[in-house]
Amino acid sequence: PIQVNTVIGHILEGLALGRPVPLARLANVSTPPNQSEWDELANVETSNAEMDVVKSKVPMAEYLRPIMGDMFIDTPYDERDEEDVLKYRNWCHLLKWYQSLRRADYIPVFGE
């Protein structure tokens, strides 16, 4: 069976490589970051030069360390709290959107 998240990942990779992607259609099946989430991800990037998502390939766990906290990231996977794992998965999803849009040199404008 086709894995929806895999397809979404490939579409976001294509976007990062400059391929045209109908973002509104993609957003119907994959929720992009809202303004506060975008700002939080951007803050991680601007606060540490090593976290530049355009110029370097930073592991997701390290990029999300300031958001999720050292305790969560350093906890072995099988010992993590289920609620925190769901939160982490959501941030990974949002980070994929953020990375792809930044690599495509696209900064979203958020409505009110």
Side-chain angles (χ1 to χ4, degrees):
I2 294 175
Q3 299 295 317
V4 175
N5 286 334
T6 301
V7 173
I8 292 167
H10 289 307
I11 292 169
L12 289 172
E13 281 180 34
L15 173 66
L17 295 172
R19 299 233 188 252
V21 172
L23 294 177
R25 284 185 64 198
L26 182 59
N28 285 330
V29 294
S30 173
T31 306
N34 62 34
Q35 185 163 10
S36 65
E37 293 161 339
W38 181 274
D39 291 345
E40 198 161 351
L41 292 165
N43 186 48
V44 171
E45 185 175 18
T46 57
S47 66
N48 185 339
E50 294 177 9
M51 298 295 181
D52 185 329
V53 298
V54 175
K55 296 179 183 173
S56 64
K57 296 258 183 185
V58 179
M60 282 191 162
E62 290 309 309
Y63 195 95
L64 294 174
R65 183 179 289 275
I67 295 171
M68 292 300 300
D70 291 333
M71 188 169 168
F72 174 82
I73 297 298
D74 294 337
T75 299
Y77 185 79
D78 59 345
E79 296 176 20
R80 291 176 176 171
D81 176 77
E82 186 175 336
E83 185 177 322
D84 286 338
V85 168
L86 293 175
K87 180 180 171 187
Y88 178 71
R89 284 184 189 153
N90 184 59
W91 277 109
C92 287
H93 169 79
L94 297 172
L95 179 56
K96 288 176 188 175
W97 266 94
Y98 178 81
Q99 288 172 325
S100 296
L101 292 170
R102 287 277 294 116
R103 290 175 181 154
D105 199 28
Y106 181 89
I107 304 297
V109 176
F110 296 95
E112 295 188 38

